[in-house]
Amino acid sequence: MKRRNFIQLSTLAGAAPIITSSIATSSCASSISEEQPVSEEPFELEEWTVDQMQEAMESGRYTSRKICELYLTRIEKKDQSEGGLNSVIEINPDALSIADELDQERADGKVRGHLHGIPVMVKDNIDTGDKMMTTAGSMALMGTTAPDDAFIIKQLRASGAVLLGKTNLSEWANFRSSRSSSGWSGRGRQTNNPYALDRNPCGSSSGSGAAVSGNMCAITIGTETNGSIVCPASHNGVVGIKPTVGLWSRDGIIPISVTQDTAGPMGRTVTDAATLLGACVGEDVADSKTAESTGKYYQDYTQFLDTNGLQGKRLGLLKDAYGSHEKSDEVLQNALKIIEDQGATIIDEVEIWNWSEFEGTDDVLYYEFKDGLNKYFQSRPDLAVQTLEEVIRFNQDRAGEEMPYFQQERMERAEALGALDSEDYKQQLQKLLKVARGRYDERLEELELDAFIALTAGPSWKTDPLLGDNFRGGTSTSTPAARAGYPHVTVPAGYVYGLPLGISFFAGAYSEPKLISLAYAFEQASKVRVAPKLPATVELL
């Protein structure tokens, strides 16, 4: 539906224990219980920003330890309780001692930066060289710990952040089955949506999105190959930044695709997400892609926060942005009105490419998954499985626990393929990048666009582990930036029956400063986000 037609047809609408396998493998551990709903008592730190926490610690009213203790208590009561959110897969047993050390540094006059003493959670496919496991949600990787930190975790610790724990995810970052339920893993079971616990949190970084939205920590880190940061950010009503591939190192992260993978920040505000983005940049010899970021990254992205960031900008609204659901259309129309009121020009019906142009490139991610995973195992000789083939066999042997609802056909397809030196892979990759990056850059230049825009995803569906995810309310718009390896920022845009929707801004390589400026200007003009109350369900008319 064209936007002008929609305008004519619509009316604008004005300290917890470490989670053990005995808990995580219980099929009812994260069930929704209407008889025992999660309480709605006020939380002392609800919706607190990083700035507010820093001010509280600087004034002496709070310490990092006190802030961490409050979050840990909330996790115990509202995340890990029966009928809770189930976004956290493991708590760092050293979190409070780390907070104590950082409090002492502050008392001695040393503050490392704006994340000093701030509790952060990271997705459970990112190595941490501590007492926590790194499992990608799979039982096959349980039992041992990584030998050292991933590069971005080293940066995070150096910034003074407290690593509070790890978040649940779609097992193997949602690259096991095409019929999976987002947020389900063999180790952690099902993560829920804080705006309606029977609804789905979307994407493989589901636990990271749900945890920060549900006020279980200050900010989180997710990872994305295609949609796994931005879709859970949209479904959980938070800000997500999927960086340019190469801005953050992928060293020490269980991979899917060397072409598309990246980690990125998720926060309740653009400011918080931008603060975390700058903390983890840097060149890493273990990830050659980061060499391309030389001279293109900033350690402080908050300098680009601009309430006038939309003024004079040209934004291309994707073709077919309307029509997925009439309620989503209303949210989009209201968001576009705000954008235009802030001085931006919207170009309708922009088509980046035709999907038929990607014909014959379907195996790129499968080739790269097999290669990348087997290389990761070489860095983890401690693990019980050492190849993708062994993971598949493990799942077959433990099918009742690991595959009760959906199978592992994606893994089996990847295992059947050859190495990255095959001509088939090289040809597929060359074609994919030519279309994904070439056409993308051409459209930005031809139309003189500052960015593309669209709703990030439709409203959350009811979780169904048997039949899997349901995107009928609006498919994700993550693919263009994901395939090109370019940045993508999503920010809350509105609600459909209480379920959040985000709006996306995405542009060319290393355009994070511009995208953050656009997203911040929209956020400040709209002030959409409302803290979730973790209800058992959402009431429909």
Side-chain angles (χ1 to χ4, degrees), residues 15-20 65 68-69 71-72 75 80 88-102 118-122 124 126-133 145 149 153 156-157 160-167 187 216-217:
I18 295 177
I19 299 170
T20 64
R65 182 186 181 94
C68 290
E69 286 176 337
Y71 278 125
L72 290 171
I75 290 167
Q80 293 302 301
V88 180
I89 204 168
E90 188 166 356
I91 291 297
N92 185 358
D94 295 326
L96 294 181
S97 62
I98 294 171
D100 285 340
E101 292 173 3
L102 292 165
I118 301 296
V120 180
M121 286 197 177
V122 303
D124 182 39
I126 303 173
D127 283 348
T128 57
D130 50 26
K131 297 173 184 176
M132 293 188 291
M133 294 181 283
T145 59
D149 285 337
I153 299 301
L156 191 65
R157 293 191 200 274
V162 178
L163 189 52
L164 193 64
K166 290 193 171 183
T167 56
R187 179 188 177 197
M216 304 299 164
C217 59

Side-chain angles (χ1 to χ4, degrees), residues 461-473:
W461 56 84
K462 282 195 174 183
T463 295
D464 186 346
L466 185 63
L467 298 180
D469 294 340
N470 180 355
F471 287 94
R472 284 184 300 176

Side-chain angles (χ1 to χ4, degrees), residues 125-127 149-152 223-225 243-264 280 282 284 286-292 368 372 376 437 485:
N125 61 347
I126 303 173
D127 283 348
D149 285 337
F151 179 86
I152 61 171
T223 67
E224 174 164 328
T225 304
T244 303
V245 173
L247 188 70
W248 278 17
S249 169
R250 284 88 54 84
D251 169 59
I253 301 176
I254 298 174
I256 291 178
S257 166
V258 68
T259 301
Q260 295 181 198
D261 282 356
T262 182
C280 296
D284 177 17
D287 183 356
S288 60
K289 189 70 175 176
T290 60
E292 297 178 11
E368 293 183 348
Y376 174 80
R437 295 179 185 169

Side-chain angles (χ1 to χ4, degrees), residues 22 33 66 139 144 197 226 265 310 312 366 383 394 398-399 466 470 517 539:
S22 63
S33 172
K66 176 64 175 176
M139 296 179 192
T144 64
L197 293 170
N226 187 346
L310 287 163
Y366 292 91
L383 293 170
F394 177 94
R398 300 281 294 273
L466 185 63
N470 180 355
S517 177
E539 293 192 17

Side-chain angles (χ1 to χ4, degrees), residues 179-181 184 190 404-406 462-469:
R179 205 186 67 237
S180 62
S181 173
W184 190 95
Q190 182 67 52
Y405 306 119
F406 48 89
K462 282 195 174 183
T463 295
D464 186 346
L466 185 63
L467 298 180
D469 294 340

Side-chain angles (χ1 to χ4, degrees), residues 202-203 224-235 318-320 324 353 355 454-459 461 470-482 488 490 502 504 506:
C202 194
E224 174 164 328
T225 304
N226 187 346
S228 288
I229 289 174
V230 297
C231 190
S234 178
H235 272 214
L318 292 193
K319 183 180 179 183
D320 300 325
S324 62
W353 56 58
W355 287 102
L455 284 182
T456 310
W461 56 84
N470 180 355
F471 287 94
R472 284 184 300 176
T475 57
S476 173
T477 59
S478 61
T479 300
H488 183 163
T490 179
S504 289
F506 45 105

Side-chain angles (χ1 to χ4, degrees), residues 176-177 391-392 395-396 403 407-412:
R176 202 190 85 186
S177 172
V391 172
I392 292 171
N395 291 341
Q396 291 169 339
M403 300 194 296
Q407 301 301 302
Q408 55 181 345
E409 66 274 11
R410 282 181 170 167
M411 288 186 156
E412 291 166 350

